[in-house]
């Protein structure tokens, strides 16, 4: 915009990095009241509130984070110009805003890697990856601290929060184990589960609930050695014990390829689903539509 006041933008940029009006005013050698007036003029020009006050701290709004990304690029380009003309060029390529991804801790690491690989191959994007419970990540999504959450359960539609779950992929679920000694006969599901040692995902997931219903309907009683929420730990236990592990093959793809683990039985009635959960945004990340496409 030709009439954007870049002094105002510099003031905003300083406040955004300080997260505190008084500290920013001291750094700029202005009074807090004068700085507040300059910030308000910028907000009026942009037609958007850039901060919201939380206690004594200032938090960027959704529009404020976008403005900060552009301000960072503008002032980095200015520094690059000065450095270049003084014979000290440095890279200052304009980049997309960081893509902030939340991933449920129980999600397959192999699936996450598959989903992230094309993003990491870009030269204009930084990915910020957070892990946690679905409840924690949804709170961060609602507070505009994340752009998308990867989960293995859909989130119920919530008009107030604006949640939307997009199915990214579905993977079959199998019983996996270390290679049996000698020649193993084909596994008969569900009859051969009677008394078998099992490693199962935690009881809160949809796959586990569906598996329990199948076992109960068949009237068989396996011996559950462990319930494990962390897929990486379930993968390790499958390698180190002779027990059967209930997992999507994608979780143990490397071990299946090497022969360290084998698929004993595919269970066509069970699938693991992978979702991208987003919230309604006035200013969604420019790559969000691309990353929401099925992989």
């Amino acid at each position: 915009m030709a009439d954007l006041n870049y002094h105002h933008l510099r003031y905003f940029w300083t406040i955004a990095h300080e997260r505190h009006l008084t500290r920013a005013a001291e750094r700029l050698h202005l009074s807090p009241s004068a700085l507040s007036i300059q910030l308000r003029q910028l907000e009026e020009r942009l037609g958007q509130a850039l901060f919201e006050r939380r206690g004594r701290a200032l938090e960027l709004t959704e529009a404020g984070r976008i403005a900060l990304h552009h301000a960072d690029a503008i002032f980095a380009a200015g520094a690059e110009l000065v450095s270049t003309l003084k014979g000290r060029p440095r890279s200052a390529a304009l980049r997309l805003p960081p893509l902030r991804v939340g991933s449920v801790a129980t999600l397959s690491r192999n699936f996450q890697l598959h989903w992230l690989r094309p993003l990491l191959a870009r030269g204009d994007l930084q990915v910020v990856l957070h892990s946690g419970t679905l409840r924690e990540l949804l709170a961060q999504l609602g507070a505009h601290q994340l752009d998308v959450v990867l989960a293995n359960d859909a989130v119920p539609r919530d008009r107030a929060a604006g949640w939307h779950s997009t199915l990214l992929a579905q993977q079959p679920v199998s019983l996996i184990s270390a290679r049996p000694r000698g020649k193993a006969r084909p596994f008969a599901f569900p009859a051969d589960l009677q008394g078998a040692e099992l490693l199962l995902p935690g009881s809160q997931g949809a796959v586990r609930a569906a598996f329990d219903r199948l076992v109960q309907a068949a009237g068989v009683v396996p011996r559950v050695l462990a319930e494990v929420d962390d897929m990486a730990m379930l993968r390790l236990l499958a390698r180190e014990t002779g027990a059967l592990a209930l997992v999507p093959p994608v979780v143990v793809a490397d071990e299946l390829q090497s022969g360290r683990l084998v698929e004993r039985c595919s269970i066509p009635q069970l699938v693991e689903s992978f979702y991208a959960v987003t919230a309604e945004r006035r200013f969604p990340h420019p790559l969000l539509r691309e990353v929401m496409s099925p992989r």
Side-chain angles (χ1 to χ4, degrees), residues 2-295:
D3 56 350
L4 178 64
N5 187 315
Y6 285 90
H7 288 296
H8 291 168
L9 190 64
R10 172 70 73 171
Y11 297 153
F12 157 74
W13 182 79
T14 304
I15 298 169
H17 283 284
E18 291 290 343
R19 290 291 200 273
H20 197 280
L21 187 69
T22 301
R23 287 198 300 268
E26 292 173 352
R27 180 174 163 185
L28 293 165
H29 306 292
L30 295 171
S31 69
S33 59
L35 184 57
S36 181
I37 291 171
Q38 304 295 321
L39 174 62
R40 188 159 57 249
Q41 290 176 351
L42 177 63
E43 290 178 322
E44 289 172 355
R45 178 66 192 88
L46 296 176
Q48 301 288 340
L50 301 176
F51 293 100
E52 59 183 16
R53 186 173 292 279
R54 294 186 181 176
R56 295 184 177 181
L58 292 174
E59 294 292 334
L60 288 165
T61 62
E62 185 180 359
R65 278 191 293 274
I66 293 172
L68 179 59
H69 170 71
H70 285 281
D72 283 338
I74 287 168
F75 295 127
E80 172 72 6
L81 171 62
V82 172
S83 296
T84 298
L85 295 181
K86 289 185 176 181
R88 299 189 301 270
R90 58 184 183 178
S91 175
L94 296 181
R95 295 165 62 88
L96 290 165
L99 181 67
R100 298 158 302 162
V101 180
S103 180
V104 174
T106 58
L107 202 66
S108 162
R109 303 299 193 268
N110 282 349
F111 173 78
Q112 292 179 56
L113 180 59
H114 172 73
W115 189 84
L116 289 168
R117 188 174 283 121
L119 299 173
L120 298 175
R122 299 180 64 108
D124 59 350
L125 178 70
Q126 177 189 8
V127 177
V128 181
L129 188 62
H130 296 273
S131 182
T133 66
L134 183 58
R135 182 190 294 268
E136 293 168 344
L137 297 175
L138 289 179
Q140 294 175 49
L141 184 66
H144 299 242
Q145 296 168 358
L146 294 174
D147 296 303
V148 61
V149 171
L150 301 179
N152 38 20
D153 286 306
V155 175
R157 188 83 184 218
D158 186 322
R159 291 196 173 204
W163 305 139
H164 182 72
S165 299
T166 300
L167 182 65
L168 296 177
Q170 287 186 315
Q171 296 283 344
V173 176
S174 297
L175 290 169
I176 306 290
S177 76
R179 185 176 296 278
R181 294 179 180 176
K183 186 176 181 181
R185 64 177 179 82
F187 191 92
F189 178 86
D192 282 353
L193 287 176
Q194 179 66 37
E197 295 182 336
L198 283 184
L199 303 167
L200 296 177
S203 59
Q204 300 303 313
V207 168
R208 172 63 188 280
F211 177 79
D212 287 347
R213 288 194 295 270
L214 287 175
V215 169
Q216 186 176 13
V220 296
V221 182
R223 180 187 169 206
V224 179
L225 290 186
E227 294 184 355
V228 187
D229 280 330
D230 188 328
M231 286 293 104
M233 189 63 192
L234 190 58
R235 175 182 179 179
L236 179 61
L237 289 174
R239 283 166 30 188
E240 299 302 320
T241 72
L244 294 162
L246 182 71
V247 294
V250 66
V251 173
V252 290
D254 294 340
E255 287 83 357
L256 290 175
Q257 185 174 6
S258 69
R260 189 167 186 179
L261 294 176
V262 294
E263 183 181 40
R264 301 292 302 280
C265 171
S266 177
I267 308 175
Q269 302 96 315
L270 299 183
V271 292
E272 178 84 0
S273 300
F274 301 96
Y275 294 91
V277 184
T278 55
E280 291 182 5
R281 292 279 190 270
R282 292 185 64 190
F283 308 104
H285 191 283
L287 281 183
L288 202 53
R289 181 174 293 183
E290 178 181 331
V291 302
M292 297 281 284
S293 59
R295 300 293 179 87

